[in-house]
Amino acid sequence: MENVVTKFYNAFSNLDADTMCSCYHDNIVFEDPAFGILRGNKAKAMWQMLCASQKGKDFKVIASNIKADETSGAAHWEAFYKFSKTGRSVHNKIDAQFELKDGLILKHTDTFNLHKWAKQAMGFKGFIIGHTRYFKTKLQSQTNYLLDKFIEEKKLSP
């Protein structure tokens, strides 16, 4: 099953959301600090939105330590990009855990230090509030609003 996780990150590196989504089970459950919990087509749409937003920009993903067996997997990946709202450079270090079923990713959980991310993306303001529950709640509200808007504009099924 290592091949499906490797395929997922190779596709991400190439901003190929369709291939990324093909690695996901129809009942996918994705979770991370920025979006919270996303299920099914909404999780797939998130990757479509993120890939679309980075096309033609200075974006890089490096995945390493990919391991998987028939039912679970893990990876470390790093993303390098400019945060769109501030233009600040971000180098986010993420650890991923996977549950696998029928040769596909059924559950995908990304963890990273939200406070470190906020400091990079927003500077001093992120340093001050990036560790608070308020910030996390506000960020998830904003990212999900943008995702819902993307789904509506692209006429995707949520």
Side-chain angles (χ1 to χ4, degrees):
M1 292 307 301
E2 222 169 269
N3 62 333
V4 76
V5 177
T6 299
K7 179 180 175 182
F8 179 87
Y9 286 110
N10 285 341
F12 193 16
S13 183
N14 293 316
L15 297 173
D16 178 358
D18 291 340
T19 299
M20 292 174 74
C21 293
S22 76
C23 297
Y24 271 3
H25 193 280
D26 285 341
N27 297 322
I28 182 67
V29 176
F30 173 84
E31 182 175 4
D32 84 345
F35 284 89
I37 298 172
L38 303 175
R39 298 177 192 283
N41 288 336
K42 198 164 185 179
K44 293 176 182 181
M46 178 209 50
W47 293 115
Q48 293 171 327
M49 180 179 79
L50 292 176
C51 287
S53 75
Q54 294 303 315
K55 295 254 187 210
K57 296 184 179 168
D58 189 19
F59 174 82
K60 183 168 70 167
V61 167
I62 300 170
S64 60
N65 298 327
I66 297 172
K67 298 177 181 121
D69 59 28
E70 290 305 308
T71 59
S72 64
H76 175 79
W77 62 282
E78 300 185 26
F80 302 82
Y81 60 96
K82 296 246 188 239
F83 184 60
S84 61
K85 287 195 174 200
T86 62
R88 295 176 59 88
S89 294
V90 172
H91 173 195
N92 200 11
K93 298 176 183 180
I94 302 109
D95 289 310
Q97 297 292 317
F98 302 97
E99 288 180 24
L100 306 161
K101 182 180 179 184
D102 303 328
L104 297 168
I105 300 168
L106 177 64
K107 186 172 184 189
H108 177 177
T109 304
D110 279 347
T111 57
F112 60 88
N113 185 317
L114 189 59
H115 188 223
K116 282 185 180 177
W117 176 87
K119 285 191 293 187
Q120 292 179 66
M122 299 174 188
F124 186 69
K125 180 180 177 183
F127 172 73
I128 296 298
I129 65 167
H131 66 283
T132 65
R133 177 169 294 289
Y134 168 80
F135 175 78
K136 185 175 181 179
T137 301
K138 185 85 168 154
L139 177 66
Q140 288 179 3
S141 174
Q142 179 67 18
T143 55
N144 279 275
Y145 168 78
L146 293 172
L147 180 56
D148 289 341
K149 189 173 165 187
F150 178 83
I151 289 168
E152 187 178 310
E153 287 172 359
K154 298 295 182 186
K155 303 200 182 333
L156 303 171
S157 56

